[in-house]
């Protein structure tokens, strides 16, 4: 089983013909970051940089998902080279098939979480199995699936020189929708919320809380997938910049120029159109793509030009099997957060594995609830890394 995921396809050759390791490392950093921020010991005890912005604004945690979306676009450029960037029914079928598989995996993970949750609530086994009435339809994996599928097909149908205009058109259209549809308000009257309620239904949406107000408002909703597709296409365009030359010096110059322009544009437009991850605002797209492009350039300089590689082996393990390890982390998180074990200190006599590890082991040991929450998250990352290390050493690349 030695093959490569199309959405994380083999990286291009670096100067001199070697593999451009920086791409794998950027993938690995983002996946490790996504697993870490999704699995604190306690959601009530988190250091500020490890929290998402409540609404408008940007924190380091808000960068991990858009960075992965960007690198997915870069990797898609390399994977579509075998089709010579020309549309065919063969390429179309392969892209659609992979998109459907990724989407269904996301749904399966959502189902699994509700399945164990209902068993814990003493529901019957059959009721737990058939829990589709309130399953969340969208999420991280479904968004990746949609953006990969639509983005890849668009890239095959549209010439590369036209793609920047496609990206600009999507972002302008989405900006108009937000500005005319109360799109920057956390409210049921927000056009994003209205579309999701009409199409998905509130029972199939994520419930969020902002400023003490709780609403069904999905951060990976249908309408906000539009700018996410533009996000992926920006990564695709940057993939083309990497392939225009084998000189890493020219590569980092191009990426830094693009990164600087996008980042400054995003922050400047923030004054009239706030940076907001939960609606994936156009300024969020520009800023995070700009930072991702600059960070990739920095990694190429450190790793592929200067040759400082020892520090990054940890992240390389995540980078070669990114989607598999992200899914593994999601499943393990559900298991340890749902399965109960006997515990004398718990009122009910039982506690989840996660609750026992955090409340009964780490908090007493460290004496600081917030530090214990961070150590739990890092330990959980290390647990997934151990599985990834086995695959890494056996040169197994799991294709999703």
């Amino acid at each position: 089983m030695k093959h490569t995921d199309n959405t994380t396809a083999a990286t291009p050759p670096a100067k001199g013909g070697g593999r451009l390791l920086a791409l794998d490392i950027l993938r690995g950093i983002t996946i490790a970051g996504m697993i870490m921020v999704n699995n604190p010991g306690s959601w009530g005890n988190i250091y500020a940089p490890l929290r998402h912005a409540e609404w408008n604004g940007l924190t380091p945690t808000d960068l991990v998902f858009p960075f992965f979306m960007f690198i997915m676009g870069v990797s898609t450029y390399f994977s579509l080279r075998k089709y010579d960037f020309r549309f065919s029914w063969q390429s179309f079928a392969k892209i659609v098939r992979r998109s459907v598989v990724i989407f269904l995996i996301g749904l399966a993970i959502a189902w699994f979480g509700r399945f164990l949750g209902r068993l814990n609530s003493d529901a019957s086994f059959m009721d737990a199995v058939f829990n589709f009435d309130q399953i969340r339809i969208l999420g991280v994996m479904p968004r990746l699936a949609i953006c990969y599928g639509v983005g890849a097909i668009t890239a095959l149908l549209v010439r590369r020189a036209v793609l920047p205009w496609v990206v600009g058109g999507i972002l302008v259209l989405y900006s108009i929708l937000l500005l005319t549809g109360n799109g920057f308000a956390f409210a049921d009257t927000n056009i994003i919320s209205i579309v999701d309620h009409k199409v998905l239904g509130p029972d199939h949406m994520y419930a969020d809380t902002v400023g003490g107000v709780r609403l069904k408002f999905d951060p990976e909703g249908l309408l906000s997938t539009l700018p996410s597709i533009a996000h992926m296409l920006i990564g695709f365009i940057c993939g083309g910049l990497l392939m225009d030359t084998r000189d890493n010096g020219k590569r980092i110059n191009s990426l830094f120029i693009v990164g600087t322009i996008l980042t400054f544009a995003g922050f400047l437009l923030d004054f009239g159109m706030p940076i907001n991850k939960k609606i994936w605002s156009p300024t969020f797209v520009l800023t995070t793509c700009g930072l991702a492009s600059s960070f990739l350039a920095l990694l190429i300089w450190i790793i592929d030009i200067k040759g400082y590689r020892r520090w990054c082996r940890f992240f390389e393990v995540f980078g070669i099997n990114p989607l598999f390890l992200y899914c593994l982390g999601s499943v393990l998180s559900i298991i340890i957060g749902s399965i109960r074990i006997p515990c004398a200190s718990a009122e009910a006599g039982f506690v989840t594995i996660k609750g026992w590890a955090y409340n009964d082991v780490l908090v007493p040991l460290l004496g600081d609830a917030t530090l214990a929450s961070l150590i739990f998250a890092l330990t959980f990352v290390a647990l997934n890394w151990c599985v990834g290390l086995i695959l890494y050493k056996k040169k197994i690349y799991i294709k999703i």
Side-chain angles (χ1 to χ4, degrees):
M1 189 164 55
K2 185 179 179 181
H3 44 254
T4 307
D5 179 1
N6 248 16
T7 61
T8 55
T11 54
K15 187 177 180 180
R19 183 180 175 87
L20 191 61
L21 182 61
L23 281 166
D24 289 330
I25 303 309
L26 180 55
R27 271 195 295 264
I29 290 172
T30 56
I31 290 298
M34 288 168 76
I35 294 173
M36 180 182 69
V37 301
N38 286 341
N39 294 281
S42 167
W43 288 105
N45 297 288
I46 307 175
Y47 290 111
L50 300 180
R51 296 180 182 272
H52 287 291
E54 188 176 45
W55 188 241
N56 294 331
L58 195 65
T59 73
T61 297
D62 292 323
L63 298 177
V64 288
F65 187 20
F67 271 33
F68 188 77
M69 187 77 72
F70 173 87
I71 203 66
M72 182 177 72
V74 176
S75 300
T76 300
Y77 185 92
F78 309 140
S79 71
L80 294 185
R81 284 183 300 165
K82 62 177 173 285
Y83 302 117
D84 196 27
F85 303 104
R86 294 180 180 177
F87 179 86
S88 68
W89 290 112
Q90 178 188 5
S91 62
F92 176 80
K94 193 167 186 178
I95 290 168
V96 170
R97 183 168 59 249
R98 178 161 283 111
S99 299
V100 170
V101 168
I102 294 173
F103 193 98
L104 291 178
I105 289 173
L107 278 182
I109 292 172
W111 170 87
F112 184 60
R114 288 192 55 79
F115 170 72
L116 290 185
R118 287 201 175 185
L119 285 182
N120 279 343
S121 65
D122 298 324
S124 70
F125 180 80
M126 295 306 295
D127 284 342
V129 169
F130 296 100
N131 62 51
F132 307 112
D133 56 326
Q134 292 185 326
I135 192 171
R136 185 187 177 198
I137 295 176
L138 299 179
V140 171
M141 292 292 285
R143 171 157 289 187
L144 289 174
I146 295 170
C147 292
Y148 166 69
V150 176
I153 292 170
T154 301
L156 291 177
L157 292 172
V158 178
R159 289 184 297 111
R160 181 180 160 192
V162 180
L163 282 179
W165 295 98
V166 174
V167 170
I170 292 173
L171 295 182
V172 168
L173 172 63
Y174 188 60
S175 299
I176 294 172
L177 290 174
L178 292 178
L179 293 171
T180 59
N182 199 30
F184 292 97
F186 182 72
D188 288 332
T189 56
N190 187 318
I191 189 170
I192 296 173
S193 178
I194 292 172
V195 170
D196 286 341
H197 275 76
K198 293 290 186 182
V199 179
L200 302 175
D203 289 340
H204 300 287
M205 293 170 57
Y206 183 83
D208 205 353
T209 302
V210 174
V213 177
R214 188 168 180 81
L215 296 173
K216 288 295 184 75
F217 195 103
D218 206 308
E220 281 85 40
L222 285 170
L223 202 56
S224 59
T225 301
L226 274 175
S228 302
I229 294 169
H231 195 122
M232 179 269 186
L233 288 173
I234 292 175
F236 184 90
I237 294 167
C238 288
L241 294 178
L242 285 174
M243 291 305 300
D244 284 344
T245 177
R246 290 197 171 194
D247 187 312
N248 281 331
K250 292 181 179 178
R251 282 173 167 169
I252 64 174
N253 284 340
S254 297
L255 289 174
F256 268 131
I257 290 172
V258 170
T260 301
I261 292 173
L262 292 179
T263 303
F264 272 90
F267 279 123
L268 287 173
L269 292 173
D270 175 60
F271 290 100
M273 190 177 297
I275 296 171
N276 187 308
K277 177 184 179 296
K278 293 179 179 179
I279 62 172
W280 215 274
S281 66
T283 46
F284 178 78
V285 173
L286 296 175
T287 304
T288 55
C289 281
L291 292 173
S293 179
S294 297
F295 190 34
L296 177 57
L298 178 62
L299 288 176
I300 293 174
W301 181 78
I302 293 172
I303 298 169
D304 296 289
I305 293 181
K306 291 299 182 180
Y308 300 129
R309 300 187 173 197
R310 289 187 178 182
W311 67 273
C312 62
R313 294 305 180 195
F314 176 87
F315 298 108
E316 189 176 1
V317 169
F318 284 104
I320 64 171
N321 279 303
L323 287 182
F324 170 76
L325 290 176
Y326 175 77
C327 292
L328 175 67
S330 299
V331 172
L332 289 178
S333 177
I334 292 169
I335 290 173
I336 66 173
S338 300
I339 293 181
R340 295 179 291 184
I341 58 176
C343 181
S345 62
E347 288 185 15
F350 291 89
V351 66
T352 63
I353 297 173
K354 177 178 180 178
W356 171 80
Y358 174 69
N359 292 306
D360 293 84
V361 177
L362 291 176
V363 173
L365 179 65
L366 299 172
D368 185 318
T370 306
L371 177 60
S373 184
L374 173 61
I375 296 301
F376 179 91
L378 294 175
T379 303
F380 188 78
V381 171
L383 174 63
N384 287 272
W385 179 82
C386 289
V387 177
L389 181 63
I390 296 172
L391 301 176
Y392 177 80
K393 288 185 173 181
K394 293 181 179 293
K395 300 186 186 307
I396 296 174
Y397 310 127
I398 297 179
K399 185 177 183 179
I400 297 179

